[in-house]
């Protein structure tokens, strides 16, 4: 294509996008606005039309070290000159081996084996399959159901959908096909509140009642993300783990959003000092560079599966352990250590508290909260994304609210000035939204 006026190029991209593409959770015939991106660096996204946005989303939790990071770029360039991909059946390579060892060392003690896959939803499918095969291999075929928390989100593939919140998930559309799982109340005890056993009544009753059919409980530890940005008590999680053990039900921790420092711990399970039987990782695993996910399990799970009637684990994606993805993930793990992620997260948290707290006084805001490098302004009424998305862009920030939630989880490398700007502009847009809702 010839060199074009940026404005014309932007218009042409938008027009052809609307003609040929389908965006996430969208109506292809009544398209919502989209903004063509030219490039991005650190916490800045530059649009084709020349506008620059400070990024509040880290591209759905993933871009922890910022865009266009020289060392991450270099890791990919080095690997691409060796081998971009080989099948993982019968072959192996250093990026996969190094990354697996690194993940075993950095995740909670006791998770000893790594199964790589392509995306978060698939990592959840793999985790569910592991849990089912674990009981099958011991002849306990009745234990084939999953129990999950209301307001949970675990992905968009079929088994993952079946454990998402039954109301906000896609259950009503696919009710004929989705496996019928067991649901229990979303934890009502907030992160900073004092836990007592009354908070666990529904969980405990549901678990005990269904224990003979339950293969596993699946949950997002500490932060229920997409289902409502609910930050809940570590004590709740701790007791869930104990109850699962007592009643012979496995625990799957879905840390696809919470993993790699975002909540203020490297993994959210550390808040409760627990090791789940199975752990799912994705999103920020490759710092947002490539699609890659991992499912980790304990020795116990691997041993039972691999000594059963069918002594192999029945899964094997074509692009399993892709060397490019593994090499950039490995570099991202090294950067986390070198750049002192916990200081980065604490600093972001501190500034978010300062800058977002005044939103409490805006009429129409029901709550403001922050955990680690996540900031949430909850409104009384849901926003219409279609109408308000452009207000954020006009304000020079990339924030994509859903429902009543206006939330940010910026790249950990965001500068203090950028973060203050992001929060300040977010508040002005929130005011505009709240005024328009009255
Ligand atoms: C995003 C997400 C998934 C799904 O990951 P994809 O890569 O989008 O398939 C699953 N669980 C949680 C907690 C997530 O945040």
């Amino acid at each position: 294509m010839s060199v074009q006026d940026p404005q014309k190029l932007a218009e042409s991209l938008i027009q052809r996008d609307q003609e040929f593409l389908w965006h996430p959770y969208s109506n292809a015939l009544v398209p919502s606005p989209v903004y063509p991106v030219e490039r991005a660096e650190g916490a800045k996204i530059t649009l084709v039309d020349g506008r620059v946005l400070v990024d509040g989303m880290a591209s759905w939790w993933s871009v922890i070290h910022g865009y266009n990071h020289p060392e991450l770029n270099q890791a990919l360039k080095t690997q691409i000159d060796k081998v971009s991909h080989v099948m993982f059946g019968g072959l192996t390579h250093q990026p996969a081996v190094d990354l697996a060892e690194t993940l075993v060392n950095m995740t909670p003690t006791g998770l000893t084996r790594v199964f790589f896959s392509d995306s978060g939803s698939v990592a959840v499918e793999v985790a569910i399959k592991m849990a089912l095969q674990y009981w099958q291999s011991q002849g306990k075929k009745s234990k084939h159901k999953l129990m999950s928390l209301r307001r949970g989100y675990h992905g968009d593939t079929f088994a993952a959908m079946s454990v998402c919140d039954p109301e906000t998930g896609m259950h009503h559309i696919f009710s004929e096909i989705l496996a019928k799982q067991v649901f229990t109340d979303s934890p009502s005890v907030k992160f900073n509140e004092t836990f007592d056993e009354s908070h666990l009544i529904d969980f405990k009753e549901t678990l005990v009642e269904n224990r003979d059919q339950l293969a596993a409980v699946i949950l997002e530890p500490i932060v229920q993300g997409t289902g409502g940005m609910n930050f809940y008590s570590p004590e709740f999680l701790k007791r869930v783990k104990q109850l699962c053990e007592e009643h012979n039900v496995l625990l799957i921790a879905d840390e696809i959003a919470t993993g790699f420092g975002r909540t203020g711990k490297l993994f959210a399970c550390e808040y409760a000092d627990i090791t789940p039987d199975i752990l799912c990782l994705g999103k920020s695993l490759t710092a947002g560079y490539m699609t890659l996910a991992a499912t980790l399990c304990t020795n116990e799970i691997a041993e039972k599966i691999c000594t059963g009637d069918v002594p192999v684990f029945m899964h094997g994606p074509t692009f399993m352990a892709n060397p490019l993805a593994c090499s950039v993930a490995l570099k991202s793990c090294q950067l986390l250590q070198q750049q002192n992620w916990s200081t980065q997260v604490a600093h972001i948290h501190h500034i978010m508290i300062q800058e977002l707290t005044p939103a409490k006084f805006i009429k129409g805001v029901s709550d403001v909260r922050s955990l680690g490098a996540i900031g949430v302004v909850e409104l009384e009424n849901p926003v219409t994304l279609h109408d308000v998305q452009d207000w954020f862009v006009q304000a020079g920030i990339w924030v994509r609210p859903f429902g009543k939630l206006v939330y940010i989880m910026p790249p950990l490398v965001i500068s203090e000035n950028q973060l203050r700007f992001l929060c300040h502009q977010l508040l002005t847009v929130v005011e505009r939204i709240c005024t328009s809702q009255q």
Side-chain angles (χ1 to χ4, degrees):
M1 200 187 271
S2 60
V3 182
Q4 247 183 325
D5 166 21
Q7 199 62 46
K8 287 229 176 72
L9 174 59
E11 279 163 23
S12 151
L13 286 171
I14 292 168
Q15 188 221 321
R16 285 182 295 136
D17 177 288
Q18 294 185 346
E19 189 175 347
F20 299 116
L21 279 167
W22 213 321
H23 281 266
Y25 312 104
S26 73
N27 183 324
L29 303 182
V30 188
S32 291
V34 289
Y35 302 88
V37 172
E38 172 67 24
R39 73 192 105 85
E41 189 162 16
K44 275 191 323 203
I45 298 174
T46 304
L47 302 181
V48 170
D49 65 17
R51 286 184 290 178
V52 177
L53 309 178
V54 173
D55 180 27
M57 304 301 293
S59 286
W60 280 336
W61 313 81
S62 67
V63 181
I64 45 176
H65 303 303
Y67 300 90
N68 214 346
H69 191 289
E71 288 183 63
L72 295 171
N73 291 2
Q74 192 53 53
L76 281 171
K77 287 174 188 168
T78 306
Q79 185 59 40
I80 209 167
D81 285 332
K82 292 185 188 168
V83 55
S84 296
H85 186 63
V86 282
M87 60 188 283
F88 211 51
L91 296 173
T92 193
H93 45 81
Q94 188 167 2
V97 176
D98 285 349
L99 179 61
E101 187 176 16
T102 301
L103 292 178
V104 165
N105 289 334
M106 76 198 283
T107 52
T109 318
L111 295 163
T112 53
R113 207 162 277 279
V114 182
F115 191 97
F116 286 117
S117 59
D118 335 59
S119 74
S121 301
V122 178
V124 168
E125 299 284 328
V126 167
I128 291 173
K129 239 190 217 186
M130 278 181 181
L132 299 184
Q133 233 184 298
Y134 172 82
W135 294 112
Q136 285 245 342
S137 71
Q138 300 170 72
K140 301 207 170 125
K141 296 209 161 66
S142 72
K143 282 171 86 67
H144 64 265
K145 286 198 177 192
L146 281 300
M147 176 165 144
S148 77
L149 306 179
R150 293 200 179 84
R151 298 172 78 184
Y153 175 75
H154 299 286
D156 294 346
T157 53
F158 274 85
M161 267 197 294
S162 77
V163 288
C164 289
D165 184 279
E167 266 148 48
T168 59
M170 284 154 279
H171 291 240
H172 56 293
I173 312 177
F174 301 113
S175 60
E176 301 295 312
I177 311 150
L178 287 181
K180 300 277 180 284
Q181 312 290 18
V182 177
F183 293 92
T184 178
D185 288 349
S186 172
S188 60
V189 52
K190 305 280 171 247
F191 184 80
N192 287 316
E193 286 174 358
T194 310
F195 170 87
D196 66 65
E197 285 292 304
S198 72
H199 293 117
L200 207 65
I201 293 173
D202 188 62
F203 184 92
K204 197 169 171 179
E205 279 179 9
T206 315
L207 183 78
V208 171
E209 193 179 308
N210 295 283
R211 47 180 275 178
D212 295 336
Q213 284 92 54
L214 286 179
V217 165
I218 180 167
L219 51 71
E220 296 151 276
I222 309 298
V223 176
Q224 291 192 291
T226 307
M229 291 291 173
N230 182 27
F231 308 153
Y232 66 89
S233 163
E235 209 56 36
F236 180 93
L237 180 58
K238 204 176 208 141
R239 289 286 292 129
V240 161
K241 173 66 182 146
Q242 285 169 359
L243 286 172
C244 285
E245 269 172 30
E246 258 170 56
H247 295 283
N248 243 344
V249 175
L250 300 177
L251 179 64
I252 302 171
D254 177 352
E255 292 233 23
I256 290 165
T258 51
F260 302 100
R262 178 61 62 184
T263 67
K265 297 279 184 190
L266 201 45
F267 297 96
C269 282
E270 293 170 25
Y271 275 113
D273 200 16
I274 60 152
T275 298
D277 300 286
I278 301 171
L279 175 76
C280 302
L281 301 175
K283 290 203 163 93
S284 59
L285 173 59
T286 64
Y289 266 66
M290 312 266 305
T291 178
L292 180 73
T295 308
L296 282 77
C297 71
T298 60
N299 268 340
E300 161 72 10
I301 303 288
E303 260 170 35
K304 286 288 185 327
I305 290 174
C306 298
T307 54
D309 292 345
V310 183
V312 290
F313 181 58
M314 292 307 287
H315 207 91
T318 305
F319 292 103
M320 188 167 180
N322 174 264
L324 288 172
C326 288
S327 60
V328 76
L330 185 63
K331 179 52 78 179
S332 171
C333 292
Q334 289 163 357
L335 285 177
L336 272 173
Q337 303 301 342
Q338 284 164 21
Q339 302 188 337
N340 209 342
W341 64 270
S342 68
T343 314
Q344 287 176 322
V345 172
H347 187 61
I348 291 173
H349 182 71
H350 179 72
I351 294 171
M352 276 194 206
I353 296 275
Q354 275 181 5
E355 298 283 340
L356 295 180
T357 305
K360 285 191 175 154
F361 302 106
I362 299 173
K363 192 162 172 276
V365 169
S366 65
D367 189 38
V368 179
R369 55 188 180 272
S370 173
L371 180 71
I374 311 168
V376 182
V377 176
E378 185 159 350
L379 310 181
E380 282 163 10
N381 300 304
V383 301
T384 314
L385 191 55
H386 190 102
D387 302 337
V388 305
Q389 183 68 85
D390 203 54
W391 299 356
F392 290 98
V393 175
Q394 286 167 20
I397 57 176
W398 182 241
V399 174
R400 195 166 165 80
F402 66 81
K404 297 175 182 172
L405 300 164
V406 182
Y407 64 101
I408 47 175
M409 58 277 192
L412 303 186
V413 297
I414 193 166
S415 73
E416 177 165 346
N417 282 343
Q418 287 172 327
L419 183 55
R420 290 196 192 274
F421 176 81
L422 172 65
C423 294
H424 179 267
Q425 295 300 84
L426 184 143
L427 257 58
T428 61
V429 179
V430 164
E431 263 173 17
R432 189 172 172 188
I433 293 172
C434 289
T435 307
S436 77
Q437 285 178 341
Q438 274 157 28

